Amino acid sequence: MKNILVIGSTGQIGSELTRVLRESYGGSHVVAGYIVGAEPKADLLEGGPAAIADVMDGQHIADVVKEYQIDTIYNLAALLSVVAESRPRLAWKIGIDGLWKVLEVAREHHCAVFTPSSIGSFGADTPHDMTPQDTIQRPRTIYGISKVTTELLSDYYHLKYGVDTRSVRFPGLISWKTLPGGGTTDYAVDIYYSAVKGEKFVCPIAKGTLMDMMYMPDALKAAVSIMEADASRLVHHNGFNVASMSFDPDTIFQAIRKYKPEFEMEYDVDPLRQSIADSWPNKMDDSCARNEWDWKPDYDLDAMTVDMLKHLEQKLL
Ligand code: SER
């Protein structure tokens, strides 16, 4: 039986992953780790134990790991790409200094660690179409640099100390539950909110800009499956490409218009977001994940759109 600590349990991924992990492993086996100012509430607080787990404080994380006999850590503490550009030092402190502390705790207490990477780990020199698993990674954003470093440092702890580190490169994640906040791919969430509220959407990303995207249930499935995967089959450990859909703003707009024919969109391109988006893949090749741990998504753009509109209508109207 696993005992899991989720660091960042109230964030974009953590708030949903903690619930899913509790359904699988039992509430008392999943600790919702949080920082002061972002405390868990409602069912996240009531569904199992919660503890302060700040990546800036390795000793505290070690204490939580000992107290709850943790064997698996989901380290989800990070700043997203756009906000990281305005606070690069903080992005590094959380993403890399924090990761180092988590990995040290894991080494000492024999924990497996999942720390997500991203499409942001690629850069302008990377092949953009069917981006291979192993390829050029020369990002120019601090977010991307920290994600490449995350992959390398996680591999290092695996190779040098035998820590069972595993991770995936998430596409832009789309959910009706928790808003992302500060990412380049946020438009693909915001567009659904505008559609449901009956507002015209002003898109900060230019028509024709393709990026990998994924519906949150698939992202959660990936995060759980990779940590459950048979280690003897893994050739890679960190930074698996995982893909499910790739679209540009006009394609998602048309997908929504199928169900909301009155919906309107105009473009007001944000230069920072656009330059980041242009440096990311159009579509990743995720065959290594499919071959090594049977990765397979459940949602395409249409299935996600139906589900997003249904849930947001219940939530907002
Ligand atoms: N969603 C992230 C971002 O846009 C990419 O991983 O920053």
Side-chain angles (χ1 to χ4, degrees), residues 43-107:
D43 63 313
L44 208 49
L45 182 62
E46 286 146 23
I52 292 179
D54 186 338
V55 288
M56 303 295 183
D57 185 348
Q59 185 54 52
H60 203 115
I61 291 175
D63 292 344
V64 174
V65 163
K66 274 188 273 181
E67 182 179 348
Y68 293 95
Q69 299 177 328
I70 297 297
D71 51 51
T72 304
I73 301 173
Y74 281 88
N75 171 27
L76 306 175
L79 297 186
L80 288 182
S81 56
V82 176
V83 72
E85 282 305 293
S86 63
R87 308 191 71 185
R89 182 72 194 104
L90 182 63
W92 187 265
K93 271 171 86 171
I94 295 172
I96 302 306
D97 298 346
L99 171 64
W100 194 286
K101 292 190 172 111
V102 171
L103 289 170
E104 272 299 297
V105 172
R107 177 167 79 90

Side-chain angles (χ1 to χ4, degrees), residues 284-299:
M284 290 187 287
D285 174 355
D286 63 357
S287 51
C288 289
R290 289 175 187 260
N291 293 335
E292 293 176 40
W293 48 280
D294 305 322
W295 157 248
K296 191 172 175 300
D298 294 322
Y299 288 86

Side-chain angles (χ1 to χ4, degrees), residues 80-81 118 143 170 172 183-185 280:
L80 288 182
S81 56
S118 157
Y143 179 73
F170 278 134
T184 305
T185 57
W280 289 358

